Amino acid sequence: VQLQASGGGLVQPGGSLRLSCAVSGSVFSVNAMRWYRQDRGKQRELVAAIDSDGSTNYEASVKGRFTISRDTFKNMVYLQIRDLKTEDTAVYYCNADLVFGEGWGSYHYWGQGTELTVSS
């Protein structure tokens, strides 16, 4: 089982982008899914999370610009980012709590990261 993030790239300030993350392999269910980011020399920070019921939470600095969503049937999570700023430059990682059987606990999985650079 793997998490595969994609969608990063070089974008101009003010632009928009959507990151995607897919869970590949066999799982029973997926609980919370999250996006983190890490810029060089900084700690990895949680920017957005979405629970299995669709409830969402955002880091304060990205509220209003970042939108997290998920496709439960495809086991995918997305991060739509608008009005990109240079400070959004970072490697973005997806993360999910995976369940492999009915009544089992969840296991924390990380994707490999996708790099976003915001620059003119």
Side-chain angles (χ1 to χ4, degrees), residues 66-84:
F66 286 29
T67 302
I68 189 171
S69 61
R70 65 190 290 171
D71 185 324
T72 302
F73 295 104
K74 294 181 179 179
N75 284 336
M76 293 193 68
V77 63
Y78 306 97
L79 187 67
Q80 180 73 42
I81 309 174
R82 65 176 183 85
D83 190 22
L84 279 157

Side-chain angles (χ1 to χ4, degrees), residues 14-28:
S16 299
L17 191 76
R18 189 177 81 158
L19 305 179
S20 301
C21 177
V23 178
S24 64
S26 179
V27 297
F28 178 77

Side-chain angles (χ1 to χ4, degrees), residues 1-6 20-30 33 74-77 93-100 107-113:
V1 174
Q2 292 182 333
L3 270 63
Q4 185 75 30
S6 61
S20 301
C21 177
V23 178
S24 64
S26 179
V27 297
F28 178 77
S29 64
V30 181
M33 305 183 84
K74 294 181 179 179
N75 284 336
M76 293 193 68
V77 63
Y93 297 90
C94 58
N95 165 287
D97 297 335
L98 307 181
V99 180
F100 294 99
Y107 293 83
H108 213 58
Y109 273 69
W110 287 91
Q112 87 290 0

Side-chain angles (χ1 to χ4, degrees), residues 46-92:
L46 175 65
V47 294
I50 184 167
D51 284 334
S52 55
D53 64 0
S55 59
T56 58
N57 283 288
Y58 297 93
E59 196 272 328
S61 68
V62 307
K63 279 184 179 178
R65 295 192 302 116
F66 286 29
T67 302
I68 189 171
S69 61
R70 65 190 290 171
D71 185 324
T72 302
F73 295 104
K74 294 181 179 179
N75 284 336
M76 293 193 68
V77 63
Y78 306 97
L79 187 67
Q80 180 73 42
I81 309 174
R82 65 176 183 85
D83 190 22
L84 279 157
K85 304 179 185 299
T86 55
E87 53 262 40
D88 295 323
T89 295
V91 178
Y92 285 73

